[in-house]
Amino acid sequence: MTREELNGLLDLYAGALAARDAQRLPLASGVRFTENAQAIALDEGLWATATCVSADQIRFIDPATGQAGFMCVAQEHGAPVELTLRLKAEGGRITEIEQFAVRRRPSLFNPENFAPQTLFRDIAPSARATRAALGDAAHAYFNGIERDDGTIIPVRDDCLRIENGVQTVLAKDSDFASSTASQGFNLFEMGVAEQISTGFFAFLPRIRDRRIQLIDEARSMVLAICVFDHPGRLTRVDVKGFGAIDLPPQFCTPLTGLVAELFQVEDGLIRAICATIAMEPYGMKTGW
């Protein structure tokens, strides 16, 4: 399918979801649908509760694989839901739908700042990354977290990262900042590479079930889907050049984060990151 056709499917999807009517979509026989890794019917989950889907969306389209998606805020009975959608189509019919719906939670949740259009921009053709380089950049980011080594990540010093609407780099204030700043160390003022190299993320030793799922060559973007496992074994970590830090309580119990992470690369370096992270029971699979 063409870029324009896939973009049209996204329009149809947003309208159908807001109307709670999946039958408005050109669905293939046997279409596969998951929400937060669970295979459910297309009249359940957010399809049963949505009351609005914002037109303010970050869209990513991959004609080479027939995939497209968006990040935006939906409403569920009037309450905000941070939504990431991926769909796949063949012959004009949707064969796969994968969505992540992050609902209100006590931390790492700011729908007013989720998926801001200003985070991403058009990239000049000469500055866009190849398909291979886009996939490599996403893997390098995840490898850096696993190895506590930001130096292996091709990332700009001024790269912004938004997670569930919360700015978690180059920010004086965040959900987690007070828990570390009160100990004399604010991790969230740092840039991506510097932050990852501190060793703070030792509580997150494994990023599994990685998929470089969708590559938008025209916008130099890549959508990666994976799982962050937090075993919960650690309550303190040693931060390089500082010393021991008590971890925020949410990192001290076993849980799994289902992650859909969108990267934009310019001149070979990651310049922006936006992610939805749905916190689920430890060991959760992606459903794909």
Side-chain angles (χ1 to χ4, degrees):
M1 294 184 69
T2 67
R3 189 176 189 89
E4 292 71 23
E5 290 169 334
L6 288 165
N7 195 55
L9 280 183
L10 295 180
D11 289 338
L12 284 175
Y13 192 94
L17 182 59
R20 307 183 193 177
D21 184 6
Q23 297 311 308
R24 294 187 181 188
L25 299 174
L27 300 172
S29 176
V31 58
R32 186 177 179 190
F33 169 58
T34 63
E35 180 174 299
N36 292 357
Q38 301 305 299
I40 56 178
L42 271 167
D43 59 359
E44 297 181 334
L46 194 59
W47 279 99
T49 58
T51 50
C52 179
V53 177
S54 173
D56 186 14
Q57 301 168 1
I58 297 171
R59 291 192 171 188
F60 27 92
I61 298 174
D62 186 357
T65 62
Q67 295 184 90
F70 58 65
M71 290 179 168
C72 73
V73 176
Q75 298 285 325
E76 182 176 62
H77 304 308
V81 178
E82 297 170 347
L83 174 64
T84 294
L85 163 75
R86 176 192 69 85
L87 60 78
K88 184 175 183 179
E90 297 177 9
R93 296 199 169 272
I94 297 173
T95 59
E96 297 179 1
I97 302 171
E98 181 177 17
Q99 66 186 27
F100 298 86
V102 177
R103 297 166 170 91
R104 188 171 299 281
R105 50 194 311 274
S107 64
L108 204 65
F109 185 81
N110 181 14
E112 294 182 359
N113 194 45
F114 178 64
Q117 289 281 12
T118 55
L119 185 62
F120 297 95
R121 66 186 182 206
D122 290 337
I123 304 297
S126 61
R128 296 172 190 165
T130 64
R131 293 185 72 89
L134 285 162
D136 289 346
H139 275 305
Y141 174 80
F142 298 136
N143 290 340
I145 294 174
E146 285 185 332
R147 301 173 191 175
D148 297 314
D149 185 0
T151 67
I152 67 174
I153 304 172
V155 62
R156 288 168 46 150
D157 291 341
D158 63 350
C159 174
L160 292 183
R161 185 181 65 211
I162 305 294
E163 297 177 304
N164 291 353
V166 177
Q167 186 172 323
T168 54
V169 294
L170 303 176
K172 293 183 178 180
D173 299 313
S174 78
D175 289 336
F176 304 134
S178 60
S179 62
T180 60
S182 63
Q183 301 175 65
F185 176 78
N186 190 347
L187 179 83
F188 302 95
E189 291 182 334
M190 297 179 175
V192 172
E194 182 185 11
Q195 185 187 81
I196 289 171
S197 290
T198 64
F200 178 85
F201 294 100
F203 66 87
L204 203 172
R206 181 173 64 245
I207 300 175
R208 59 176 167 84
D209 296 341
R210 302 185 198 178
R211 282 180 281 143
I212 304 303
Q213 186 63 60
L214 184 160
I215 292 174
D216 187 332
E217 295 176 83
R219 300 208 67 197
S220 201
M221 288 178 169
V222 54
L223 178 73
I225 296 172
C226 62
V227 171
F228 286 12
D229 277 334
H230 300 192
R233 296 187 179 96
L234 302 179
T235 60
R236 307 188 82 197
V237 291
D238 288 320
V239 172
K240 294 173 185 176
F242 181 83
I245 290 285
D246 293 323
L247 287 170
Q250 57 266 46
F251 297 145
C252 300
T253 57
L255 62 85
T256 283
L258 297 175
V259 178
E261 198 136 16
L262 182 66
F263 304 85
Q264 187 174 54
V265 176
E266 183 176 23
D267 289 323
L269 299 176
I270 300 169
R271 63 163 304 276
I273 305 170
C274 190
T276 46
I277 306 175
M279 302 302 184
E280 303 293 346
Y282 186 69
M284 178 74 78
K285 307 299 183 184
T286 67
W288 292 83

